[in-house]
Amino acid sequence: MPELPEITVKAHQMDKRLKGKRIANVEVRQPKNLNMPVPEFLKTVKGKIINSVWSKGKWVFIRLDPAYYLLINLGMNADLIYFTPKHKLPEKYQFKLVFADNTGFTIQFQWFGYVHLVSEKDLGKHKLTAHLGASPINEELTPEHFEQLLANKKMGIKSFLLDQKNIAGIGNVYVQDILFKAKLHPNRKVSTLSEKEKDDLYKAILEVLNNSIRLGGLAYEKDFYGRRGKFTIDEFLVGYKTGKPCPVCSTPIEKVRTGSTHSYICPKCQSLK
Ligand SMILES: [Zn+2]
């Protein structure tokens, strides 16, 4: 499942490649991905120009001129891949966008996903993106803001990190190493964290996510050019490493059930105080 690093890498590539291109045509093979009837979608999007592309959490935001946004969510997994007239298109795709210069991109959803078109004035009312929390890789998530988010929360720290309304973009993949680096058991209650633990957790979030961005994201996800990231299973500290020695103390890593998700922990470094 793509998380913040994979979406960030892709949005950055899209921004560089697509800026200034005019939308000439769209093919929709799975209308349920859209938030409006296909004819209305086509009529609205055709002729618009890509102004910029960025990401927030697991969403790609494409700003169109004039005054619209194309909001894409790749769901559990999807290939969103660029093409030029020289490329052979993938056999299967649910969505294809073609620019006036005959380049474009296709999206092949593996499970579900969204391609929503929203006017500038309605952006704040778009239910799925309007309440996204702070993005951890830009200035939005300052240490002060992080502290405020943690204040008065009663849940476990893992549930807090996975809630997209708090921080946007962390999922069950990267949260494993974030908690390990901060030496926190996933079930530790937010209210029991010391100042130092909060500080360590903030640093761990930035370190783990930025490290993956540097490597181009997960090796099982494709970027905008169909290339795989360099973040392989070997890069994880404890994630997906059941039975392997903890990189700090050599205690075997355990896979434990924590609420509705699984967690990979070092039982010694991440003891439940
Ligand atoms: Zn350990």
Side-chain angles (χ1 to χ4, degrees):
M1 180 161 174
E3 294 186 13
L4 182 140
E6 293 72 45
I7 303 291
T8 303
V9 168
K10 199 177 293 257
H12 188 65
Q13 292 172 328
M14 291 173 79
D15 185 60
K16 270 182 142 168
R17 178 61 62 185
L18 305 183
K19 218 178 260 193
K21 290 189 188 243
R22 183 185 293 274
I23 299 172
N25 213 345
V26 174
E27 184 186 348
V28 180
R29 292 181 174 175
Q30 192 166 275
K32 69 176 179 182
N33 296 129
L34 308 184
N35 60 333
M36 60 179 72
V38 177
E40 189 188 339
F41 185 92
L42 298 183
K43 195 172 141 234
T44 313
V45 85
K46 277 188 197 175
K48 292 216 170 9
I49 292 168
I50 308 283
N51 173 292
S52 49
V53 186
W54 69 96
S55 61
K56 179 152 185 174
K58 298 170 191 175
W59 285 82
V60 175
F61 283 65
I62 305 179
R63 158 87 198 189
L64 305 175
D65 284 333
Y68 264 84
Y69 291 85
L70 201 53
L71 307 174
I72 301 177
N73 185 299
L74 301 178
M76 294 298 280
N77 194 8
D79 290 336
L80 190 169
I81 312 272
Y82 182 66
F83 66 81
T84 72
K86 280 189 267 176
H87 289 97
K88 195 169 160 274
L89 290 180
E91 267 177 40
K92 284 187 193 160
Y93 57 84
Q94 287 87 31
F95 184 89
K96 180 172 78 167
L97 192 146
V98 187
F99 297 107
D101 63 0
N102 289 318
T103 65
F105 62 82
T106 53
I107 307 177
Q108 182 187 352
F109 295 105
Q110 306 292 338
W111 188 244
F112 68 92
Y114 307 107
V115 183
H116 286 183
L117 189 59
V118 180
S119 70
E120 185 163 42
K121 73 175 170 47
D122 288 335
L123 186 63
K125 292 182 229 156
H126 183 250
K127 285 205 178 81
L128 298 172
T129 59
H131 303 293
L132 285 174
S135 175
I137 49 144
N138 58 32
E139 301 75 43
E140 275 182 22
L141 191 71
T142 59
E144 293 75 28
H145 184 44
F146 186 59
E147 181 96 13
Q148 283 165 9
L149 286 172
L150 289 167
N152 303 317
K153 293 283 193 315
K154 294 196 170 61
M155 73 261 276
I157 187 61
K158 186 177 180 187
S159 307
F160 170 86
L161 292 173
L162 294 185
D163 185 340
Q164 301 300 299
K165 291 197 281 300
N166 293 324
I167 300 172
I170 301 174
N172 204 40
V173 174
Y174 292 105
V175 76
Q176 314 290 349
D177 282 1
I178 289 172
L179 289 170
F180 172 74
K181 266 192 178 247
K183 294 188 164 59
L184 292 173
H185 189 282
N187 287 347
R188 270 291 295 284
K189 294 281 179 241
V190 171
S191 56
T192 68
L193 299 189
S194 68
E195 288 307 312
K196 177 167 189 315
E197 285 174 328
K198 289 178 191 175
D199 203 39
D200 288 347
L201 179 59
Y202 178 79
K203 287 186 191 130
I205 292 170
L206 300 194
E207 274 175 34
V208 168
L209 297 177
N210 281 320
N211 179 45
S212 180
I213 291 170
R214 260 195 307 278
L215 292 168
L218 292 168
Y220 59 79
E221 301 282 351
K222 290 180 190 159
D223 69 9
F224 192 46
Y225 300 103
R227 296 176 306 217
R228 294 189 180 278
K230 293 189 175 69
F231 195 102
T232 62
I233 193 96
D234 295 337
E235 302 291 333
F236 285 105
L237 299 169
V238 295
Y240 311 95
K241 295 221 161 151
T242 314
K244 299 265 176 6
C246 163
V248 171
C249 73
S250 299
T251 304
I253 292 159
E254 291 178 2
K255 182 180 178 184
V256 296
R257 189 140 191 100
T258 43
S260 60
T261 58
H262 281 107
S263 296
Y264 299 85
I265 61 162
C266 167
K268 197 170 166 204
C269 295
Q270 294 167 274
S271 70
L272 193 54
K273 286 176 200 166

